[in-house]
Amino acid sequence: MDASYFAVQRRALEIVGFDPSNPQLSLKHPIWAGILILSVVSHNWPMVVYGLQDLSDLTRLTDNFAVFMQGSQSTFKFLVMMAKRRRIGSLIHRLHELNRAASATPNHLEKIERENQLDSYVARSFRNAAYGVICASAIAPILLGLWGYVETGVFTPTTPMEFNFWLDERNPHFYWPIYVWGVLGVAAAAWLAIATDTLYSWLTHNVVIQFQLLELVLEEKHLDGGDSRLTEFVSRHRIALDLSKELSSIFGEIVFVKYMLSYLQLCMLAFRFSRSGWSAQVPFRATFLVAIIIQLSSYCYGGEYLKQQSLAIAHVVYGKCNWPEMTPKKRRLWQMVIMRAQRPAKIFGFMFDVDLPLLLWVIRTAGSFLALLRTFER
């Protein structure tokens, strides 16, 4: 395996306090993890209070609630990971072992490296977008303050986001603690999201690998051989399906909460750019919107990719079987294999499948709610 294998995920898990080398995915730094959660929670509630103070100001309300939703999702994801960390650690190490065993064959190793390279593109895209949000929240207020100082000779303090803090940020003694706490709250939410979402991408791509390796096995061996071929295929297919089911079970609650809130979050973020005006929050909102779009797309892409790869097994079996020369008994057995492969593996969020049609539904619903907000504004 090359150096990029599981690199983004390992580093992201270490940042939030987990030990990815442990099969139990133990929490190595619980105090640091507690600080991150405290930062997100203490950062979220002042924003809710500030947004609800004047319900007639839709821009302020939507700006604050979009960030509040992301902070709440990051906290919920971390709590789910804590509750299921043993299952997650077991799934990670099981996939490591399967990949290690398959790497002995050159063409299997090539397939594993290619899929993990693809995962690396997805994971790094979201990680870089999330770090862009952190940088925008930290840099934009300082640059605007310095620009005001150059023009007027007075440094006008602005916080990374607008919220009601129990200290007055206009006081020079209180500005920097509020600024640092605001940036830390954004960073904590981003780090928690990176750990969960990049791990989802890696798990999905490496479960897909098991289906792709199964296709290679079908191409390398004659299916009309002996019963051992059928037994081996069914056993490996069962492993891939079990891994898919475990992945869906682990992330079921996460994707359900995410997509129940995602259309509102997209709508509220887009509402900011439907109005003119500039503030220290605009760079943050722009990078935040990009990160959310990448986040939602990666989940739906992963679910769709898994579904299509599992369905492809039925086509490969049909194409590789020498049906005219098979005995009726063996033909019926392979037909049963095809029937099972026609029921796809999928990520299920209790009420919906995570796939590309879900992403389209989110975008359409967000557009409908955006039109509703514009109507309320007028």
Side-chain angles (χ1 to χ4, degrees), residues 74-205:
S74 295
T75 305
F76 179 74
K77 289 176 183 178
F78 181 80
L79 295 177
V80 171
M81 286 189 66
M82 281 293 299
K84 299 183 178 183
R85 64 185 183 279
R86 291 181 178 84
R87 293 171 60 187
I88 295 173
S90 175
L91 181 59
I92 292 172
H93 283 266
R94 189 178 180 189
L95 288 169
H96 283 324
E97 291 171 359
L98 289 171
N99 290 344
R100 197 176 299 115
S103 298
T105 307
N107 58 341
H108 290 196
L109 176 60
E110 181 182 355
K111 183 75 70 174
I112 293 171
E113 289 180 342
R114 191 183 70 178
E115 275 305 310
N116 277 277
Q117 188 65 44
L118 180 59
D119 161 68
S120 180
Y121 293 145
V122 176
R124 287 177 179 174
S125 296
F126 176 67
R127 181 201 63 185
N128 294 341
Y131 274 107
V133 176
I134 299 174
C135 293
S137 69
I139 297 174
I142 301 299
L143 291 181
L144 289 177
L146 291 175
W147 181 260
Y149 179 77
V150 170
E151 289 189 335
T152 64
V154 178
F155 180 82
T156 305
T158 56
T159 53
M161 279 165 292
E162 297 176 352
F163 51 70
N164 266 3
F165 213 73
W166 55 85
L167 301 175
D168 184 4
E169 70 272 10
R170 292 170 296 182
N171 189 322
H173 298 293
F174 296 148
Y175 171 71
W176 290 111
I178 296 173
Y179 170 82
V180 171
W181 194 254
V183 174
L184 180 59
V186 174
W191 287 332
L192 295 173
I194 292 170
T196 309
D197 299 340
T198 58
L199 180 61
Y200 169 86
S201 175
W202 185 86
L203 290 172
T204 303
H205 280 86

